[in-house]
Amino acid sequence: MELTDADLIARVLVDDDQHAFGELVRRHQSSVRGLLRQLTRTDLELADDLGQETFLRAYKNIRSFRGEAKFSTWLYRIAYNCFRENARRRKELVGVDEERLQAEVDPQTVDPGLRHDLMHALSLLPLPERTAVLLCCQNGLSHDEAARVLDIPLGTVKTNVLRGREKLKRTLAAWGPN
Amino acid sequence: MDELNLEDQLDRQLREAARYIDDDGFTTRVLRQLPPRRRPRQSLRATILLGTTTAASVLAYVLSDGGRFVSVHFERLATLPTLWLFALALGSGMLVTAGGLVAAISKSREFQS
């Protein structure tokens, strides 16, 4: 039987079980790295560095995880804070790496043209809207959960999701019919 | 209604576009950077165990009128038949051996994990 996140967290807390923490990393690395790749506008190297920093912070502060939210939501919050601190340090974010983005395309799941358009359109959104759309529309967080991750009012999240969606639709429509 | 469908479609496309990212050594790199495991504080545990055992022994000695019960029981043991004494020694020996085995097995499992 597969252990739940809560079981693994308990093992880390009680026995400092690093194998259990490794399993948590394996389970959540894809969604955390995916979020960071979009936030950093597909700078894979920076996103993975921030991903590692996210999990290291999670390990060091796992005692502060009270289980009120899902573990993934807690990780997103740490990831977003890592990204914000890094962005503040760097002052400006890097641009979209088109070649790397193209290499990431999995043609079996989504029409490559649409995928490229979508991701490109997403990367063009302003950061607050992009983050809200990523968390709520792509990662399936509720508005309330996203508000906790981003540490902003619920109304602001709703507005950002709405605006982000509208802009995405407008951009995709302007680029041609799907 | 169409607006809602369009939003659902956009969300679905966004979810599909979020491809699973292969681990590709990421977890190993994270685990390599973790701080060393916290070791259980063996010395503290040993001190507590030794302290409570000593305190309990002293208390038992004082409460039993200077350990008089020891000499009383030795006198009683001396009056037991030889076969009884042999059985008592064998039983005690087996009990201690079993305790030692259980401790050794649990320790070896701890090392293996």
Side-chain angles (χ1 to χ4, degrees):
Chain A
M1 198 180 73
E2 195 178 68
L3 293 171
T4 63
D5 281 0
D7 294 331
L8 293 168
I9 292 164
R11 287 187 178 198
V12 178
L13 285 172
V14 176
D15 297 329
D16 195 18
D17 187 343
Q18 297 193 342
H19 293 296
F21 188 74
E23 181 55 31
L24 285 168
V25 177
R26 254 184 293 279
R27 278 185 195 180
H28 296 284
Q29 59 87 20
S30 177
S31 55
V32 168
R33 289 161 80 197
L35 174 72
L36 287 165
R37 283 181 186 190
Q38 284 301 322
L39 289 176
T40 57
R41 294 184 198 265
T42 71
D43 183 337
L44 305 189
E45 214 169 299
L46 175 62
D48 274 9
D49 286 348
L50 293 176
Q52 286 187 39
E53 177 67 25
T54 299
F55 284 106
L56 286 175
R57 280 192 198 180
Y59 179 78
K60 286 174 189 164
N61 298 300
I62 201 155
R63 282 179 194 284
S64 67
F65 175 67
R66 301 191 191 286
E68 289 157 356
K70 282 186 281 184
F71 185 63
S72 55
T73 308
W74 187 65
L75 283 176
Y76 290 147
R77 187 178 164 84
I78 300 175
Y80 182 67
N81 285 339
C82 285
F83 164 76
R84 267 204 325 196
E85 285 167 25
N86 180 269
R88 217 174 288 145
R89 278 199 302 268
R90 288 159 62 101
K91 295 278 188 210
E92 57 178 24
L93 303 177
V94 291
V96 182
D97 189 338
E98 295 287 351
E99 279 180 16
R100 277 180 174 174
L101 182 66
Q102 196 65 45
E104 286 287 301
V105 169
D106 182 357
Q108 286 182 331
T109 53
V110 184
D111 170 42
L114 173 63
R115 181 194 165 90
H116 185 264
D117 283 352
L118 244 185
M119 301 315 256
H120 193 182
L122 190 64
S123 70
L124 295 176
L125 291 179
L127 183 63
E129 292 164 16
R130 189 166 77 236
T131 317
V133 168
L134 276 169
L135 290 173
C136 296
C137 306
Q138 195 170 59
N139 289 291
L141 267 68
S142 66
H143 289 151
D144 197 41
E145 287 173 321
R148 264 183 260 162
V149 169
L150 303 171
D151 199 21
I152 55 175
L154 181 62
T156 312
V157 173
K158 287 181 180 173
T159 308
N160 286 339
V161 170
L162 212 64
R163 279 189 192 152
R165 267 205 192 110
E166 278 308 310
K167 284 183 187 172
L168 265 182
K169 277 186 266 181
R170 273 206 304 271
T171 310
L172 291 169
W175 286 348
N178 298 331
Chain B
M1 194 65 186
D2 283 350
E3 189 69 17
L4 276 176
N5 281 340
L6 207 61
E7 280 182 8
D8 285 348
Q9 200 187 347
L10 188 68
D11 287 5
R12 186 175 50 77
Q13 286 169 352
L14 278 166
R15 281 195 294 273
E16 284 172 356
R19 185 176 71 86
Y20 180 82
I21 300 171
D22 284 331
D23 187 90
D24 205 17
F26 179 82
T27 302
T28 312
R29 286 196 294 278
V30 171
L31 291 181
R32 220 179 280 146
Q33 290 181 60
L34 293 182
R37 273 188 76 178
R38 290 190 309 269
R39 303 304 304 174
R41 295 167 74 179
Q42 297 286 0
S43 57
L44 182 68
R45 188 191 287 182
T47 309
I48 291 169
L49 275 174
L50 196 68
T52 46
T53 309
T54 310
S57 304
V58 169
L59 195 68
Y61 183 79
V62 171
L63 291 179
S64 66
D65 195 16
R68 209 171 60 82
F69 73 97
V70 179
S71 55
V72 169
H73 278 89
F74 267 117
E75 280 166 18
R76 197 176 289 173
L77 271 176
T79 60
L80 282 178
T82 319
L83 196 63
W84 275 90
L85 271 176
F86 176 72
L88 198 67
L90 188 70
S92 308
M94 283 170 75
L95 204 68
V96 171
T97 309
L101 273 174
V102 168
I105 289 168
S106 71
K107 204 72 188 166
S108 72
R109 276 191 189 147
E110 199 177 294
F111 279 125
Q112 275 170 3
S113 72

